[in-house]
Amino acid sequence: MATPRGLGALLLLLLLLTSGQEKPTEGPRNTCLGSNNMYDIFNLNDKALCFTKCRQSGSNSCNVENLQRYWLNYEAHLMKEGLTQKVNTPFLKALVQNLSTNTAEDFYFSLEPSQVPRQVMKDEDKPPDRVRLPKSLFRSLTGNRSVVSLAITILDIGPGTLFKGPRLGLGDGSSVLNNRLVGLSVGQMRVTKLAEPLEIVFSHQRPPPNMTLTCVFWDVTKGPTGDWSSEGCSTEVRPEGTVCCCDHLTFFALLLRPTLDQSTVHILTRISQAGCGVSMIFLAFTIILYAFLRLSRERFKSEDAPKIHVALGGSLFLLNLAFLVNVGSGSKGSDAACWARGAVFHYFLLCAFTWMGLEAFHLYLLAVRVFNTYFGQYFLKLSLVGWGLPALMVIGTGSANSYGLYTIRDRENRTSLELCWFREGTTMYALYITVHGYFLITFLFGMVVLALVAWKIFTLSRATAVKERGKNRKKVLTLLGLSSLVGVTWGLAIFTPLGLSTVYIFALFNSLQGVFICCWFTILYLPSQSTTVSSSTARLDQAHSASQE
């Protein structure tokens, strides 16, 4: 009897060991991959967490296409049971109700985001958020049906990437108003080309003056995961909200997008083209003047500051040239040519940012650090950074196939401007990092250095205030000249959300940066004018150049 007991104990032990080895291999269940199509309350709550979790496009932990399909099919799931029911969760409000197809009046339903949709009678006060379904919609349904099921869904899609699409990934400030979608479906049928459109009213506060509202629907036929489209929908902005009139049933939303109509884009383009053309003339003069001074002055060859100024001027000249070619060409040429124009434009933009940052670095050595500023092969190292670092970023961006045709549309979704830049439908993280983020770093560094220089000029010179009375104007002019070198005019971009007037100011002053640099260079280095400006910068640069020799 001992042997059977021993065998039983051994089998039990093996069973426990086997079960213990299987558990770790299961791993945690990732609901954001969207493979589970069950609609019980537990699965709904798990899937709703993905609205926040799925923030990064292309993440391996999220399958955006499957998740969007999961929510798009939810109304069909509700109507399969054929019963009137309500769903009330923090992220989802839904109603399924049977309606008569032989109705003599239109149907009204409330769409309050905090309540389950409900039918509103004709004599009731209409809620601010509502939908009107015309009676002709139900009479036009195919089949001899006296009753049909209507499903209404209000879905909070959160801040993630779900139901955002390529259009909202352009980094231009576009968004789904209140992150709210409204879904409408009747009898699990595809309803299109209505003779009388349905009306959805979205209540909201007054949008910013440079933003526009557009009624859109989720088009599953656009791209691999779908995108927003305004085809078949019209937009009417009223004091109490925006009215969307659409000729089909699906999921609807209200897009908040920057306002750049065709006339505005045309004026801004002409201002930028004129400013860039003028800047190119002045920058070319600056380069010629530098070549003349380099030939006529022996010591001028060893000074680093003029070389840095000319390198910045050269990068701006090439940036302006690339901009004029890019805007003038538009969408002409092959995809490869557009890719090349976008990459070249991106490269010279990054070169301009880099040389403005190097101007700030050189100014820091001259006026702030002062001592221990020797660097062997100083300008050569600056050149490697100024021209090499942007090349590395463009190569990395180009390897991700991020360049292509970029389209600016007006509020009617008409094309206002086409140029080769970061193409639509791609991840915009490269744009955020290599343009927005890189500019912000160089700009903030330049502002810190400029503030330190201003503090030294106005505060530390008090000891010689008696000798330098009346020179405050000269100090201000010096700071204005230095500010053109570190790119203060680019900082005006921060204020463009305030309205179109700031956009015009930014386009004008920023395109004239080359003119300001030319004026500064001429006043600083022409022999006849060298005594009219604050000589501190020139003296510091000469001392710094001497230390490099």
Side-chain angles (χ1 to χ4, degrees), residues 230-285:
S230 59
E231 184 178 357
C233 292
S234 63
T235 306
E236 181 183 355
V237 180
R238 297 178 182 175
E240 68 275 10
T242 298
V243 180
C244 299
C245 297
C246 299
D247 63 357
H248 54 278
L249 300 183
T250 182
F251 276 81
F252 301 94
L254 202 57
L255 287 193
L256 187 65
R257 299 189 298 170
T259 302
L260 280 178
D261 53 30
Q262 288 183 334
S263 60
T264 302
V265 171
H266 179 76
I267 295 172
L268 289 173
T269 302
R270 290 292 176 262
I271 292 175
S272 299
Q273 288 176 324
C276 289
V278 173
S279 284
M280 289 178 66
I281 296 174
F282 278 80
L283 288 170
F285 174 78

Side-chain angles (χ1 to χ4, degrees), residues 19-157:
S19 61
Q21 291 174 353
E22 290 176 352
K23 288 182 179 179
T25 62
E26 293 179 0
R29 184 169 58 96
N30 188 351
T31 59
C32 294
L33 292 176
S35 58
N36 184 359
N37 291 323
M38 299 178 65
Y39 291 100
D40 57 87
I41 188 61
F42 299 105
N43 280 283
L44 286 174
N45 287 326
D46 286 343
K47 289 292 193 295
L49 296 176
C50 302
F51 288 132
T52 304
K53 290 181 179 179
C54 300
R55 288 178 176 269
Q56 184 175 356
S57 179
S59 173
N60 293 330
S61 61
C62 292
N63 189 319
V64 174
E65 183 179 4
N66 286 344
L67 287 171
Q68 290 174 170
R69 189 184 301 113
Y70 176 87
W71 292 107
L72 291 173
N73 294 334
Y74 180 62
E75 288 183 344
H77 164 76
L78 291 177
M79 289 189 290
K80 279 182 181 179
E81 300 182 9
L83 300 175
T84 300
Q85 57 179 307
K86 299 180 180 179
V87 178
N88 188 1
T89 67
F91 55 88
L92 175 68
K93 315 289 182 184
L95 169 70
V96 177
Q97 182 171 325
N98 293 329
L99 299 176
S100 173
T101 58
N102 297 320
T103 179
E105 296 180 350
D106 298 338
F107 289 106
Y108 291 87
F109 290 86
S110 69
L111 299 175
E112 297 293 329
S114 60
Q115 300 175 2
V116 175
R118 63 178 181 86
Q119 186 174 359
V120 180
M121 296 297 105
K122 184 177 180 180
D123 55 348
E124 286 187 61
D125 293 333
K126 294 182 175 59
D129 294 85
R130 60 187 182 273
V131 59
R132 180 185 70 84
L133 300 174
K135 54 182 178 293
S136 59
L137 184 157
F138 299 94
R139 294 176 179 175
S140 62
L141 297 178
T142 58
N144 297 322
R145 301 184 182 184
S146 59
V147 177
V148 69
S149 296
L150 168 70
I152 303 178
T153 304
I154 303 175
L155 185 62
D156 184 354
I157 60 175

Side-chain angles (χ1 to χ4, degrees), residues 309-464:
H309 300 338
V310 170
L312 173 60
S315 66
L316 287 173
F317 180 91
L318 295 172
L319 173 62
N320 291 333
L321 179 61
F323 171 78
L324 293 177
V325 172
N326 204 349
V327 172
S329 301
S331 59
K332 297 177 182 177
S334 62
D335 292 341
C338 188
W339 186 98
R341 290 199 300 271
V344 170
F345 182 54
H346 187 207
Y347 173 71
F348 288 123
L349 178 65
L350 295 179
C351 287
F353 289 161
T354 306
W355 279 108
M356 285 186 282
L358 294 175
E359 285 277 11
F361 174 74
H362 184 70
L363 185 60
Y364 167 78
L365 294 181
L366 293 181
V368 180
R369 185 172 177 177
V370 181
F371 301 104
N372 299 322
T373 60
Y374 174 75
F375 298 97
Q377 301 293 325
Y378 178 66
F379 183 72
L380 177 60
K381 293 177 180 178
L382 292 185
S383 298
L384 289 176
V385 175
W387 304 108
L389 181 60
L392 293 177
M393 289 191 285
V394 169
I395 291 173
T397 305
S399 63
N401 196 27
S402 297
Y403 301 121
L405 188 62
Y406 180 86
T407 304
I408 298 176
R409 298 180 176 88
D410 61 11
R411 66 184 66 192
E412 282 80 28
N413 203 32
R414 297 174 300 184
T415 299
S416 299
L417 178 66
E418 289 183 328
L419 71 159
C420 297
W421 184 228
F422 285 79
R423 65 185 180 89
E424 297 180 88
T426 60
T427 175
M428 301 304 289
Y429 288 100
L431 175 65
Y432 299 147
I433 295 172
T434 64
V435 178
H436 300 167
Y438 191 65
F439 161 72
L440 190 61
I441 292 172
T442 56
F443 177 74
L444 291 178
F445 175 67
M447 293 304 98
V448 170
V449 172
L450 190 64
L452 291 174
V453 172
W455 175 74
K456 278 205 167 188
I457 290 176
F458 287 99
T459 303
L460 300 184
S461 61
R462 289 178 181 175
T464 59

Side-chain angles (χ1 to χ4, degrees), residues 155-194:
L155 185 62
D156 184 354
I157 60 175
T161 57
L162 269 68
F163 292 105
K164 297 304 189 292
R167 179 176 295 189
L168 299 190
L170 299 178
D172 60 357
S174 300
S175 63
V176 175
L177 188 68
N178 299 325
N179 289 321
R180 181 164 47 126
L181 271 62
V182 174
L184 298 169
S185 59
V186 171
Q188 303 186 50
M189 294 182 290
R190 189 169 180 266
V191 180
T192 59
K193 297 181 180 180
L194 295 174

